[in-house]
Amino acid sequence: MIIDIVNGPNLNLLSKREPEIYGSMSFESYLEVLKSTYPSLTIRYFQSNHEGELIDYLHAIGFEKTHIIINAGAYSHTSIAIADALRSITAPAIEVHLSNIYRRESFRHHSYIAQAVQGTICGLGLKGYELAIESFLNSTT
Ligand code: DQA
């Protein structure tokens, strides 16, 4: 099974960025944990701070036999274009947020991405990515 993790703006700063909210582990370190937990999976990772690059990446992989885990960061709350890209492709997608967006500022309570994916996992930190993988694994068995 192929898993594509797509992270949006500022998630490249995990471990340095507001660690009291987002934790102290970098995504690169967590990716190594994920890869060793799931050695039989092909786990690809793409991060960009640019909306158009995220859309281009979704277009590039979205018709492959892959499974997308997307954390669009702040674009979750603003980007109809990324939501449309997710609707335009055939690969299934799950949205992840590290923080519980519903316990934070009201502008974070709405996600355009949520309307275009199978489901959303939020508030469980990096574990959310693993739970999304588990969901994909369980849906094929
Ligand atoms: C986030 C939540 C967003 O509101 C924020 O803009 C982020 C990270 C999360 O993972 O909790 O960049 O998507």
Side-chain angles (χ1 to χ4, degrees), residues 61-73:
I61 55 127
F63 296 92
E64 295 176 15
K65 257 190 144 331
T66 187
H67 305 75
I68 297 168
I69 302 173
I70 183 161
N71 182 349

Side-chain angles (χ1 to χ4, degrees), residues 43-56:
I43 303 178
R44 304 188 294 204
Y45 173 54
F46 179 78
Q47 188 277 331
S48 176
N49 295 319
H50 304 276
E51 187 175 23
E53 285 184 5
L54 293 164
I55 292 167
D56 287 344

Side-chain angles (χ1 to χ4, degrees), residues 8-138:
N10 301 306
L11 291 162
N12 54 312
L13 294 182
L14 280 189
S15 81
K16 301 188 182 99
R17 172 196 187 197
E18 298 180 276
E20 66 287 358
I21 298 176
Y22 299 115
S24 53
M25 191 176 209
S26 71
F27 200 82
E28 287 70 19
S29 302
Y30 180 65
L31 196 57
E32 291 313 308
V33 174
L34 272 186
K35 285 180 176 173
S36 61
T37 308
Y38 298 101
S40 64
L41 300 182
T42 300
I43 303 178
R44 304 188 294 204
Y45 173 54
F46 179 78
Q47 188 277 331
S48 176
N49 295 319
H50 304 276
E51 187 175 23
E53 285 184 5
L54 293 164
I55 292 167
D56 287 344
Y57 188 74
L58 291 172
H59 290 180
I61 55 127
F63 296 92
E64 295 176 15
K65 257 190 144 331
T66 187
H67 305 75
I68 297 168
I69 302 173
I70 183 161
N71 182 349
Y75 286 142
S76 314
H77 318 302
T78 62
S79 182
I80 297 168
I82 294 176
D84 277 350
L86 287 163
R87 283 191 197 91
S88 304
I89 60 180
T90 52
I94 293 176
E95 176 187 36
V96 168
H97 294 287
L98 298 162
S99 64
N100 182 347
I101 56 175
Y102 302 104
R103 291 184 70 174
R104 301 184 63 195
E105 304 95 320
S106 58
F107 62 81
R108 296 185 203 275
H109 294 180
H110 177 264
S111 167
Y112 286 104
I113 307 302
Q115 300 166 15
V117 293
Q118 285 187 350
T120 298
I121 298 167
C122 87
L124 303 178
L126 286 165
K127 184 94 184 159
Y129 291 87
E130 189 181 325
L131 294 171
I133 290 175
E134 287 294 329
S135 171
F136 283 134
L137 286 173
N138 290 334

